[in-house]
Amino acid sequence: MRNSALGYINGFAVTPPGRYYDKGYRELFAEVALKALEAAGNPDIKAIYVASALSELTGEQLAIGNVLRDYAGLRNIPSIRIENGDGSGGFAIMTALNHLASAGNGCMLVVGVDKPHEVISLKQNKYASYLLDSDYEAYFGATPVALAAIMAKQYMKSYEYKYEDLATWAIKMHERGARNPYAYFKRVAKLKDVLDSELVADPLRLYDVSPFVDGAAALVLCSKPNPNDLAIGVINYGFGASNSYFASRNDYTVLSSVVEAAKAVGPLENFNGVVSVHDTYSIFGVLALEALGLCKRGSALRLLNEGYFDQGGRVMVNLDGGLKAVGNSMGASGVYQMVGVVMQLRGDKPFNGLNAESAMVEDMVGVDQESVVFTLRVVK
Amino acid sequence: MRNSALGYINGFAVTPPGRYYDKGYRELFAEVALKALEAAGNPDIKAIYVASALSELTGEQLAIGNVLRDYAGLRNIPSIRIENGDGSGGFAIMTALNHLASAGNGCMLVVGVDKPHEVISLKQNKYASYLLDSDYEAYFGATPVALAAIMAKQYMKSYEYKYEDLATWAIKMHERGARNPYAYFKRVAKLKDVLDSELVADPLRLYDVSPFVDGAAALVLCSKPNPNDLAIGVINYGFGASNSYFASRNDYTVLSSVVEAAKAVGPLENFNGVVSVHDTYSIFGVLALEALGLCKRGSALRLLNEGYFDQGGRVMVNLDGGLKAVGNSMGASGVYQMVGVVMQLRGDKPFNGLNAESAMVEDMVGVDQESVVFTLRVVK
């Protein structure tokens, strides 16, 4: 074990993901920022990193950090906004860790916040298509889910899976969401529900798509652990990229950016603990497991169906229900993921008795454009 | 002198600021990124930091870095987009320096790129108002220039200046722009031109407002200097914030966020060399000089009029013509500023024979919301 972490998570908070017609960006931010700071013992904060993908599109706000901190009474603390699409959260955490390393000491506040439901669903989907290449992909009608569908089709064909195999992802995520007080979907889904649901982009059905949610999640990252709490350290991170332009890729059955990020973070074949993958669409969750090196290519869906990634196993995946059940809060999703694994490492409700000591988080931008992977550990 | 810099500027490039109806974000990006990399000897790049304020508003593109790098052939290099309004450039440089410190070695590419002229001026001004608090300021019709006007009025009243004193800023910037091949405005302006120009927000006239321009600027930041070139190091940075909400501020004659950033970077009273201030509006240029501690409060406009900040003095301000003459490329402006002082330190045309050894750059978000200040030095 490395005897020091890149940073410790000394406080955290999330809002239940939902549709907040009665709260704006600033109310959601204040709620989680102040709770996370209190949990961390209200340390001095050097900077606030705000992860948001949609603040100017749905909130008409640029440089949103300064408005948010001001509303929360966190005046005079400079803010930096990171916009890396639905991977903003992960990259904001990475950027804050770099700042901590550069400063040598202190604490940073990282908050992911987004409000897709400020606009109607037609616009939500339009804005989501901005994640693709606007001139060469989105302009011609491509959407992230359509490209994910091509990947799913190719994967199922290459490795001889039926759609029923893929449906297991949604079923398991709903089952876990039903136990998680912070999930958006809290209803168990049966195979029939999945099979009967609307076809969104063949072969992906409604249940394969994470729902857009409004929400905010916060972390206080410090160079030293909170003396009054369990020490959870971010041990390492790695990031990677693939070719952005979808048509130029050679292989649609692999998430290359995740492969690169996993390589950079170190060998992960022997990893054991809890893992959070960015399952914007069910196929991305499956492919992430292979890209992380947690199983052989083509085997993830079989292993998932066999229960290999369930609670009690060596590698436990998305015990909080993933984006599928927790919801896709766009720029905030990576911070929600991080909070999810922190709660699992702590054994907070509903993860009591889990006794995991290591965790991994994979966050991805759009359709395999960039990814960042973190490893975490309970530091004793 | 510190014997090591936070990072060295091993390559740089800018596009002449203008109205590029024939080039998109990606063409502008590729032009400067490839030139800057070539100048730096084409080193391996760990990450690309893209500063852009308007990419989703005028370019319908989220997570724009991956599309840009892909187009430029810089595949597989992860990108992170920083959006801190018109201060995006400065904060992207700071974030890249932190990454360099965290990595311990290597190089980062920082590119600022924005295209306000993808949309008509009515929308440009609407989007610029997103820099203010959208719910409590912009919604009620406030614009950045209107708030700058209040600050100008208060400053002129407090320290007994006439508008003719303030007009000197525009006159000097136009004079310098006329010599700078990379300026947008290359025409000398006389006092009469300024006085006869349209009143934008009393007392600020058209000549007090930096023009929106499309443009891109790039820097290659490395942990070691380029062995084949003059070593220019970023020695230190500081950042700061003020209260975001304009109506809650006690004093409209000071840029508090710049004061904080300057304090963090160290005592600057004895600084000598070239300085670049973020003169979105002429009054911000004047107030920045005081906030940086380069002269006493209330004295900057008098000293400016006396020629104190001209070429040949101890503190030489905006020798490239500032945002007033170079143009306001929003998210790219801070990177343009940095390139400007690097050219001055190198004595590149039109700065031959300047022999400055130190430089300072001040970049600000909106109306005194957050600021970052860098010091640079020729390292021998």
Side-chain angles (χ1 to χ4, degrees):
Chain A
M1 195 206 292
R2 283 175 64 151
N3 57 6
S4 73
L6 300 176
Y8 296 89
I9 295 173
N10 285 5
F12 63 93
V14 297
T15 63
R19 298 185 177 203
Y20 288 101
Y21 300 116
D22 55 334
K23 290 180 186 177
Y25 275 88
R26 65 189 83 209
E27 286 83 4
L28 294 178
F29 171 91
E31 208 171 303
V32 295
L34 298 179
K35 259 192 223 165
L37 286 168
E38 198 186 337
N42 288 308
D44 282 343
I45 295 292
K46 280 192 200 292
I48 303 170
Y49 284 85
V50 177
S52 179
L54 302 174
S55 63
E56 57 277 82
L57 293 172
T58 72
E60 302 199 340
Q61 187 67 62
L62 285 168
I64 193 170
N66 71 73
V67 168
L68 299 176
R69 64 163 158 83
D70 211 63
Y71 179 80
L74 303 170
R75 293 183 178 174
N76 305 111
I77 306 178
S79 68
I80 299 108
R81 185 257 185 135
I82 306 292
E83 185 283 301
N84 247 23
D86 53 346
S88 301
F91 280 93
I93 295 167
M94 179 186 110
T95 312
L97 287 169
N98 288 338
H99 196 161
L100 217 48
S102 172
N105 63 66
C107 293
M108 306 287 162
L109 174 63
V110 182
V111 183
V113 58
D114 252 326
K115 286 210 68 191
H117 290 287
E118 287 282 307
V119 296
I120 56 170
S121 59
L122 192 73
K123 281 206 171 171
Q124 287 169 14
N125 286 308
K126 186 183 168 194
Y127 294 156
S129 78
Y130 291 3
L131 287 168
L132 304 183
D133 186 317
S134 281
D135 294 1
Y136 294 102
E137 293 175 334
Y139 179 81
F140 297 99
T143 57
V145 68
L147 303 189
I150 293 172
M151 299 180 78
K153 208 161 218 175
Q154 187 64 47
Y155 179 79
M156 285 163 56
K157 190 180 163 197
S158 298
Y159 299 109
E160 299 181 355
Y161 286 112
K162 296 189 306 281
Y163 177 72
E164 283 74 6
D165 299 317
L166 186 60
T168 305
W169 188 271
I171 296 166
K172 284 188 185 285
M173 294 304 128
H174 272 265
E175 201 180 291
R176 292 165 190 184
R179 285 195 302 265
N180 178 5
Y182 292 112
Y184 179 64
F185 283 144
K186 290 206 186 78
R187 203 172 56 82
V188 168
K190 302 216 169 97
L191 179 60
K192 190 174 175 325
D193 299 321
V194 180
L195 294 177
D196 287 353
S197 74
E198 199 180 340
L199 196 63
V200 177
D202 188 25
L204 302 180
R205 296 185 169 275
L206 189 61
Y207 276 75
D208 292 303
V209 179
S210 62
F212 286 124
V213 292
D214 304 336
L219 296 170
V220 179
L221 289 171
C222 299
S223 53
K224 286 184 186 142
N226 188 340
N228 303 316
D229 205 351
L230 189 69
I232 294 178
V234 182
I235 303 303
N236 204 357
Y237 74 74
F239 58 101
S242 85
N243 291 351
S244 165
Y245 188 52
F246 192 74
S248 73
R249 295 183 192 162
N250 299 321
D251 187 346
Y252 292 132
T253 67
V254 62
L255 296 174
S256 304
S257 68
V258 181
V259 170
E260 293 300 313
K263 250 193 250 170
V265 90
L268 300 173
E269 310 90 63
N270 299 317
F271 174 87
N272 70 79
V274 293
V275 174
S276 175
V277 294
H278 201 252
D279 57 337
T280 342
Y281 311 105
S282 51
I283 184 67
F284 287 0
V286 173
L287 293 180
L289 294 171
E290 301 181 3
L292 288 169
L294 298 171
C295 60
K296 284 204 181 106
R297 285 185 61 183
S299 74
L301 205 42
R302 181 177 51 77
L303 293 169
L304 180 82
N305 276 278
E306 289 171 1
Y308 183 81
F309 298 116
D310 291 349
Q311 185 159 344
R314 186 170 66 81
V315 177
M316 300 174 269
V317 175
N318 284 18
L319 295 185
D320 59 0
L323 269 66
K324 172 62 222 179
V326 174
N328 179 0
S329 50
M330 289 289 278
S333 55
V335 188
Y336 269 100
Q337 286 183 264
M338 195 62 103
V339 170
V341 302
V342 168
M343 289 175 72
Q344 290 159 41
L345 289 175
R346 293 167 56 95
D348 287 353
K349 203 185 164 196
F351 307 111
N352 323 62
L354 194 62
N355 290 326
E357 298 206 332
S358 294
M360 198 193 304
V361 173
E362 171 263 339
D363 194 6
M364 187 167 80
V365 178
V367 181
D368 186 25
Q369 281 135 348
E370 349 254 335
S371 292
V372 57
V373 171
F374 301 92
T375 51
L376 294 92
R377 198 171 290 173
V378 178
V379 182
K380 283 168 184 163
Chain B
M1 197 204 295
R2 284 173 64 147
N3 58 5
S4 74
L6 300 177
Y8 295 89
I9 296 173
N10 285 6
F12 63 93
V14 296
T15 63
R19 298 183 178 207
Y20 288 101
Y21 300 115
D22 56 333
K23 290 181 187 177
Y25 275 89
R26 64 190 84 210
E27 287 83 2
L28 294 178
F29 172 91
E31 207 171 304
V32 295
L34 298 179
K35 258 192 222 163
L37 286 169
E38 198 186 337
N42 288 308
D44 282 343
I45 295 293
K46 281 191 201 291
I48 304 171
Y49 285 85
V50 177
S52 178
L54 302 174
S55 63
E56 57 277 82
L57 292 172
T58 73
E60 302 199 341
Q61 187 66 60
L62 285 167
I64 194 169
N66 71 74
V67 168
L68 299 176
R69 65 165 158 82
D70 211 64
Y71 179 80
L74 303 170
R75 293 183 178 174
N76 305 112
I77 306 176
S79 68
I80 299 108
R81 185 256 186 135
I82 307 292
E83 185 282 301
N84 247 23
D86 54 346
S88 301
F91 280 93
I93 295 167
M94 178 185 110
T95 312
L97 288 169
N98 288 339
H99 196 161
L100 217 48
S102 172
N105 63 67
C107 293
M108 306 287 163
L109 174 63
V110 182
V111 183
V113 58
D114 252 325
K115 285 210 69 192
H117 290 286
E118 288 281 307
V119 296
I120 56 170
S121 59
L122 192 71
K123 282 205 171 173
Q124 286 169 15
N125 286 308
K126 186 182 168 195
Y127 295 156
S129 77
Y130 291 3
L131 288 168
L132 305 182
D133 187 318
S134 282
D135 293 1
Y136 294 102
E137 293 174 335
Y139 179 82
F140 296 100
T143 58
V145 68
L147 303 190
I150 292 172
M151 298 180 78
K153 207 162 219 174
Q154 187 63 45
Y155 179 79
M156 284 163 56
K157 191 180 164 198
S158 298
Y159 299 109
E160 298 179 357
Y161 286 113
K162 297 188 307 279
Y163 177 72
E164 282 73 6
D165 300 317
L166 186 60
T168 304
W169 187 271
I171 296 165
K172 283 189 186 286
M173 293 304 129
H174 271 265
E175 199 179 292
R176 292 164 191 185
R179 283 195 302 265
N180 178 6
Y182 292 111
Y184 179 65
F185 283 145
K186 292 208 185 75
R187 205 172 55 82
V188 167
K190 302 218 169 97
L191 179 60
K192 190 176 176 323
D193 298 320
V194 181
L195 294 177
D196 286 353
S197 74
E198 199 180 339
L199 197 60
V200 178
D202 189 24
L204 301 180
R205 297 185 168 274
L206 189 62
Y207 276 76
D208 291 303
V209 179
S210 62
F212 285 122
V213 292
D214 303 336
L219 296 170
V220 179
L221 289 172
C222 299
S223 54
K224 285 185 186 142
N226 188 340
N228 303 315
D229 205 353
L230 188 67
I232 294 178
V234 181
I235 302 304
N236 204 358
Y237 75 74
F239 58 102
S242 85
N243 291 350
S244 166
Y245 188 52
F246 192 75
S248 74
R249 295 183 192 160
N250 299 322
D251 187 346
Y252 292 134
T253 68
V254 62
L255 296 173
S256 304
S257 68
V258 181
V259 170
E260 293 300 313
K263 248 192 251 169
V265 90
L268 299 173
E269 310 90 62
N270 298 319
F271 175 88
N272 69 79
V274 293
V275 174
S276 174
V277 293
H278 201 252
D279 57 337
T280 342
Y281 312 104
S282 51
I283 184 66
F284 286 0
V286 173
L287 293 181
L289 294 170
E290 300 180 5
L292 288 169
L294 296 170
C295 60
K296 284 202 182 112
R297 284 185 62 182
S299 74
L301 205 44
R302 182 177 52 77
L303 292 169
L304 179 83
N305 276 278
E306 289 171 1
Y308 183 81
F309 298 115
D310 290 348
Q311 186 159 343
R314 186 171 67 82
V315 178
M316 301 174 268
V317 175
N318 285 16
L319 294 185
D320 60 0
L323 269 66
K324 172 63 222 179
V326 173
N328 178 0
S329 50
M330 289 288 279
S333 54
V335 188
Y336 268 101
Q337 285 183 264
M338 194 63 101
V339 169
V341 301
V342 168
M343 290 176 70
Q344 290 160 40
L345 289 176
R346 292 167 57 95
D348 287 354
K349 199 181 166 204
F351 307 110
N352 322 60
L354 194 61
N355 291 326
E357 299 206 333
S358 294
M360 198 192 307
V361 172
E362 171 263 341
D363 194 6
M364 187 167 79
V365 178
V367 181
D368 186 25
Q369 280 134 349
E370 349 253 338
S371 291
V372 57
V373 171
F374 301 92
T375 52
L376 293 92
R377 198 172 291 172
V378 178
V379 182
K380 281 167 187 163

